[in-house]
Amino acid sequence: MLKRIVGIGLLSFFVFMTHAQINAFDKGFDAYQRGKYDNAVDFYTVFIEDHESPNAFFNRGLAYFQLKQYQEAIQDFSEVLKLEPNDFEALYNRALAHFESGDVASAVNDYKKVLDADPNYDKAFTGLGLVYLQEEEYDSAILYFNKAITLNTDSQVNYYNRGIAHHALDAYEQAESDYSAAIPLDESAIAPYISRADLYHEMGNYDLSIVDYTEAIFLSAESPMLYYNRGISYYDFRSFEKAIGDFLEVLRLDTLHIDARWYLALCYKTLGNEAEAIKYYDEVESLNPEYAYLWAIDKNQLRLKQFIRENWIFAIGFIVLLLVSLFFVRKLVKNSNTTEID
């Protein structure tokens, strides 16, 4: 969204500048394009020292924004507006900088000024939607995203964030519709897949949740969070072997992930593998003796089941011996009672 069109409109502007000034501007532009924002700031500063150029202030403002130096960006965009009061692009970017700096009121004020200048500027509606989404005023956010989508039906940002607002209001069908509309607009974007997967999990559609987490993993194969979330979906879908595979992958990527260990203990317990369940239970307890869910597994009961499973022949023999003993004890007692009567 932070973009300034420079080029043909500047050619006649450059005629009256020194070669060094032109060079500084060009170098600043080139540095920005290559992501060297510190260098861009330096070059534009050199240029600005000798000439008050709104484009130089604007582009330096963009560089400051990328460096997260929002106050400096706000100052530069304000300088643009002093030189060109009707430059609503500068006003829009100043609104972005206000928003990122946490000054919501100023951001809203600038976005509304942009819309006063151009009522069809869809990015300003998007900006207002994001402001109200952050403020958890979801109904207002949805209204602004609606307006933005009316003006620009191809913006993934609007569908995705409107989906988040609907999701927060538990409007699951609308949220699903928005996430689904967002995905084909940019299939390389991971966030809509994750959010729709989370939504499906909340709805109990674990199979669909698994599909979306799998798509997200394809886009980010080294994310422990994604494997963990898919593992939870597999667990709730009662596909325990696959859940184990995901939780083990989590531990490969994050060796201290305690919740993955806990779910491994639960999976192995459910599958009747008491030895592995006890192993991961002990690891959880070692990492956090106060872990909130330790009560959910009775380790002594697991040990008893493990002993019986591993020594089932001995256990059966013991039970048979016990039953035989009880039989003879009962018989002796019966004979003793008969003798006393005689």
Side-chain angles (χ1 to χ4, degrees), residues 140-310:
S140 296
I142 289 168
L143 288 175
Y144 282 113
F145 289 130
N146 287 345
K147 291 179 180 179
I149 289 169
T150 299
L151 294 167
N152 182 2
T153 59
D154 294 327
S155 171
Q156 185 187 65
V157 170
N158 293 316
Y159 286 108
Y160 173 65
N161 285 290
R162 189 175 69 177
I164 290 175
H166 281 308
H167 196 162
L169 293 172
D170 294 334
Y172 289 156
E173 288 186 10
Q174 293 93 326
E176 179 186 7
S177 176
D178 277 342
Y179 293 147
S180 297
I183 287 171
L185 293 174
D186 181 3
E187 293 184 355
S188 68
I190 194 171
Y193 285 113
I194 296 173
S195 293
R196 193 173 67 176
D198 292 342
L199 175 71
Y200 283 142
H201 188 271
E202 289 178 35
M203 296 171 69
N205 295 333
Y206 305 125
D207 52 340
L208 296 177
S209 177
I210 289 164
V211 170
D212 274 350
Y213 283 131
T214 301
E215 291 288 348
I217 288 169
F218 177 77
L219 295 170
S220 180
E222 297 297 306
S223 169
M225 178 270 290
L226 293 176
Y227 286 104
Y228 177 75
N229 287 352
R230 190 175 67 175
I232 297 292
S233 291
Y234 275 130
Y235 179 86
D236 290 334
F237 199 53
R238 301 192 66 77
S239 184
F240 300 114
E241 294 287 357
K242 290 183 178 179
I244 287 170
D246 274 350
F247 294 132
L248 290 174
E249 189 66 15
V250 173
L251 294 184
R252 182 185 72 80
L253 296 166
D254 180 0
T255 57
L256 296 178
H257 201 296
I258 192 169
D259 292 325
R261 283 180 167 81
W262 178 249
Y263 269 98
L264 282 166
L266 291 175
C267 287
Y268 282 121
K269 173 180 177 289
T270 304
L271 293 172
N273 189 335
E274 290 82 14
E276 288 297 301
I278 291 170
K279 170 190 168 184
Y280 286 108
Y281 179 99
D282 287 342
E283 288 184 9
V284 170
E285 190 174 37
S286 175
L287 288 169
N288 181 10
E290 303 300 321
Y291 190 72
Y293 303 109
L294 288 174
W295 59 268
I297 291 179
D298 186 339
K299 190 165 72 169
N300 291 329
Q301 186 181 61
L302 285 179
R303 283 174 173 162
L304 177 59
K305 288 183 177 179
Q306 180 187 13
F307 176 80
I308 292 172
R309 188 183 302 277
E310 293 176 353

Side-chain angles (χ1 to χ4, degrees), residues 45-60:
T45 300
V46 169
F47 184 84
I48 288 167
E49 285 175 355
D50 294 323
H51 199 284
E52 284 192 333
S53 162
N55 286 316
F57 278 118
F58 186 94
N59 289 350
R60 190 175 69 174

Side-chain angles (χ1 to χ4, degrees), residues 33-99:
Q33 295 296 106
R34 291 185 293 109
K36 305 291 185 180
Y37 304 119
D38 283 318
N39 293 339
V41 166
D42 292 339
F43 285 124
Y44 284 126
T45 300
V46 169
F47 184 84
I48 288 167
E49 285 175 355
D50 294 323
H51 199 284
E52 284 192 333
S53 162
N55 286 316
F57 278 118
F58 186 94
N59 289 350
R60 190 175 69 174
L62 297 184
Y64 276 131
F65 187 95
Q66 297 291 351
L67 293 168
K68 303 187 187 303
Q69 297 180 26
Y70 300 120
Q71 293 306 318
E72 289 82 355
I74 290 167
Q75 184 175 342
D76 272 354
F77 294 132
S78 297
E79 289 296 327
V80 175
L81 291 166
K82 287 179 185 177
L83 297 168
E84 296 184 355
N86 296 322
D87 190 333
F88 64 86
E89 284 280 354
L91 194 57
Y92 167 73
N93 283 291
R94 189 174 72 176
L96 286 176
H98 279 308
F99 177 66

